[in-house]
Amino acid sequence: MSSLFDFDKPAIYAVMGNPVSHSKSPRIHGLFAEQTGQRLQYTAIQVDPGGFEQAVRNFVANGGSGLNVTVPFKTNAWELVDSRTPRAALAGAVNTIEVQAQGVLHGDNTDGVGLVNDIVNNQGGAVANKSVLLLGAGGAARGVLSPLLEQGPAELVIANRTEDRAIGLARNFSKLGAVTGCGFDDLADRHFDLVINATSASLHGELPPLSGQLLAPGAWCYDMMYAATATPFMQWAERHGAAKISDGLGMLVEQAAESFVLWRKVRPQTATVIATLRAELQ
Ligand code: NDP
């Protein structure tokens, strides 16, 4: 017999995007749920351009508890939500929505904390007092700026193909720390301890035009993209003597873990989930 409050039903979550069929989020949240004993259902929903708001309204009407949002709807999600965490407010992009009482939508952006947790907690690296170069000024770059600046880098330079976007972004975040923006040409004679690729160039098998002199001794190169084989940026890092090279799989799992904590109030262990996904990438 069903009751008014059917506590036996699993809570409903989903990721919305376009395209979304490749998304690893259903797999990651399925592993988190199994590990923490949480009952939930998590699916991937393909949404047509222009259809995001209606899709969210339908999801809420059908009893949905929370959403992840991916390309190209993170800005739409930011506009749609009723309230935002400070980091989401600053990022101008929302990748996590919690459906609260009476269907109120609360937005967060967990990409940046996911990146920082992967660098600092998983890989024992540091951002504090380091000279950091962030390549790209799109949604991913915006999302990671405030968590990166919170770590207290010695400097953070944003370099982008369209220089004005990097300069504008740096201006928006300048209250949070030492951040400047420039074009790739302005990087000649500069050296960095940590270079993070937040461009989508790797997705197309491309590489931003980077000078081979960029890397300081002991430099770490981190590509937000991940793949079974080294991305063009990771290959560039290898050729130019980076001491450490990482892809974005750890960031992906860590940003998902932050969403899971927001929704379920339980923190999943990420190491085994990263290892499982890594094995499944091969
Ligand atoms: P956007 O489309 O918002 O931004 C793309 C950025 O890449 C822009 O700065 C653009 O420059 C730049 N760019 C594109 N092509 C080139 C090229 N050939 N050479 C130089 N620069 C280029 O994308 P997102 O910011 O949303 O995503 C960026 C990357 O981050 C993707 O690979 C995505 O998969 C990854 N990502 C990974 C996550 C993870 O959890 N691991 C989370 C979120 C994103 P311009 O401004 O000049 O157009």
Side-chain angles (χ1 to χ4, degrees), residues 71 74 111 136-141 160-162 165 184 198-201 203 206-208 224-226 248 251-252 255:
V71 175
K74 290 184 188 180
D111 283 336
N160 194 44
R161 182 173 60 183
T162 310
R165 291 182 76 191
F184 294 125
T199 74
S200 53
L203 280 177
E206 293 166 3
L207 183 68
M224 285 195 192
M225 183 168 152
Y226 56 86
M251 171 182 175
L252 179 78
Q255 63 77 29

Side-chain angles (χ1 to χ4, degrees), residues 262-277:
L262 179 75
W263 295 330
R264 309 303 302 172
K265 318 298 174 209
V266 182
R267 182 166 291 278
Q269 299 294 319
T270 50
T272 54
V273 177
I274 295 171
T276 302
L277 263 86

Side-chain angles (χ1 to χ4, degrees), residues 16-222:
M16 287 186 179
N18 188 339
V20 81
S21 58
H22 66 285
S23 172
K24 304 222 174 290
S25 294
R27 177 72 176 136
I28 296 171
H29 285 281
L31 290 168
F32 287 164
E34 204 176 287
Q35 183 203 106
T36 57
Q38 296 281 304
R39 289 199 67 218
L40 60 86
Q41 173 197 313
Y42 189 113
T43 55
I45 301 175
Q46 170 100 8
V47 175
D48 290 334
F52 181 71
E53 177 167 358
Q54 191 56 52
V56 174
R57 301 284 176 221
N58 294 347
F59 178 80
V60 173
N62 290 325
S65 297
L67 280 170
N68 282 130
V69 182
T70 187
V71 175
F73 300 117
K74 290 184 188 180
T75 313
N76 302 79
W78 189 89
E79 286 162 0
L80 181 64
V81 293
D82 302 297
S83 61
R84 308 176 186 105
T85 59
R87 63 191 179 199
L90 267 171
V94 156
N95 78 335
T96 306
I97 297 176
E98 180 186 30
V99 183
Q100 298 180 333
Q102 272 86 46
V104 168
L105 303 177
H106 181 58
D108 195 3
N109 188 316
T110 64
D111 283 336
V113 69
L115 172 71
V116 168
N117 283 350
D118 190 42
I119 290 175
V120 176
N121 301 339
N122 295 346
Q123 306 207 46
V127 176
N129 303 317
K130 300 288 183 192
S131 176
V132 180
L133 173 62
L134 181 65
L135 304 170
R142 294 173 71 99
V144 300
L145 272 169
S146 81
L148 277 176
L149 287 166
E150 264 172 29
Q151 293 288 309
E155 64 166 345
L156 199 164
V157 176
I158 308 167
N160 194 44
R161 182 173 60 183
T162 310
E163 182 179 346
D164 287 354
R165 291 182 76 191
I167 293 170
L169 207 51
R171 198 177 297 128
N172 289 350
F173 284 82
S174 59
K175 284 200 185 97
L176 300 187
V179 54
T180 53
C182 64
F184 294 125
D185 288 348
D186 303 313
L187 295 174
D189 304 326
R190 303 294 309 272
H191 307 286
F192 296 91
D193 304 310
L194 174 60
V195 181
I196 301 168
N197 182 23
T199 74
S200 53
S202 288
L203 280 177
H204 315 293
E206 293 166 3
L207 183 68
L210 301 173
S211 137
Q213 316 301 311
L214 273 182
L215 303 181
W220 183 356
C221 290
Y222 191 109

